[in-house]
Amino acid sequence: RRASSSKRAESGAPPKVVAVLAGLLERAAKRGDAAECGSGSAAFRGPTEKKPEIGVRRYAERIYRYAGCSPACFVVAYAYLDRLAAPPQDDDAGEAVAVDSYSVHRLLITSVMVAAKFMDDIHYNNAYFARVGGVELREMNGLELEFLFALRFRLNVTPDDFTSYCAALEGEMMTTTTPPAVMASVSVSPEEEEEDTAAVTAGGAITAFAAAARVSVAEITQ
């Protein structure tokens, strides 16, 4: 698995879904900042409530580069985040989780980690995801629990739902003017890796799905 992540770090640009999801989260964070509505997301704002220095786009690329999860995990992560942001349907559902510049990075790393555990037969553990995300293991464990309870453990994404989210991401990709994501370099030097890590830390069932949404997946995961 580590060998595959090493090859991925040298393979060039990530699939389109990574950049599209990052763009959506960037805009959601800006709306959250403007609304100043941090309710329901305190656990994802970090112990110091300090904005991470690394941008959302670069952070998403870093997760893809080193976490070794399948591109489909980013689609499922998007589904989870959409569920968290939806208004509660009943009195017991709690509050919707707000996304802003303080919480967006932790929501992203947690959603991808949970999606990888649900989607991929082989995945890294929490300690590794914590290193990739620039958080302590104890915090990563707490974020996972907070995320699962906020979702009310609704982790299943049906093939139809997966297709719908692929279509939504594909539509976003077609309408956005954002250029495709490009890795900082083809090969990552130790100096660059240290810089990336410092910036992060500063902020304190695939076959079935692919068969159901072959066209959409092929479009956004390349």
Side-chain angles (χ1 to χ4, degrees):
R1 188 68 172 186
R2 291 186 182 276
S4 66
S5 294
S6 177
K7 291 179 181 179
R8 177 176 289 183
E10 301 176 356
S11 63
K16 298 171 185 176
V17 62
V18 177
V20 176
L21 178 58
L24 287 169
L25 288 175
E26 285 175 341
R27 293 201 296 276
K30 289 180 180 179
R31 290 195 299 269
D33 293 342
E36 296 182 352
C37 55
S39 63
S41 60
F44 296 98
R45 296 169 69 88
T48 61
E49 292 202 4
K50 180 180 178 182
K51 291 182 181 180
E53 296 179 9
I54 188 172
V56 178
R57 190 183 191 77
R58 192 174 178 188
Y59 192 67
E61 291 175 357
R62 174 185 172 87
I63 294 172
Y64 174 77
R65 188 193 301 177
Y66 296 112
C69 53
S70 63
C73 289
F74 288 85
V75 180
V76 175
Y78 173 43
Y80 291 163
L81 293 170
D82 185 57
R83 291 174 182 178
L84 288 183
Q89 300 297 315
D90 53 68
D91 295 338
D92 297 328
E95 297 179 316
V97 175
V99 180
D100 56 27
S101 294
Y102 295 91
S103 64
V104 62
H105 295 77
R106 286 174 172 82
L107 283 168
L108 178 56
I109 186 66
T110 308
S111 63
V112 173
M113 183 182 75
V114 173
K117 289 184 175 183
F118 185 76
M119 291 288 292
D120 292 347
D121 293 332
I122 301 175
H123 55 77
Y124 286 114
N125 58 21
N126 287 26
Y128 186 84
F129 271 95
R131 290 178 58 193
V132 172
V135 299
E136 297 292 335
L137 175 58
R138 179 179 297 182
E139 183 182 2
M140 188 79 260
N141 292 339
L143 289 172
E144 181 182 30
L145 283 176
E146 188 76 20
F147 192 85
L148 291 172
F149 277 101
L151 275 176
R152 301 173 72 190
F153 293 86
R154 296 172 299 151
L155 299 180
N156 186 47
V157 178
T158 67
D160 286 344
D161 286 342
F162 187 83
T163 303
S164 297
Y165 282 108
C166 283
L169 290 167
E170 185 179 352
E172 179 68 22
M173 181 181 66
M174 296 298 292
T175 57
T176 184
T177 56
T178 304
V182 178
M183 304 297 275
S185 63
V186 174
S187 62
V188 183
S189 66
E191 292 78 15
E192 183 186 9
E193 168 62 11
E194 290 177 3
E195 178 185 351
D196 232 6
T197 303
V200 176
T201 308
I206 301 175
T207 303
F209 285 115
R214 188 179 305 276
V215 176
S216 295
V217 174
E219 178 65 26
I220 68 172
T221 58
Q222 294 178 359

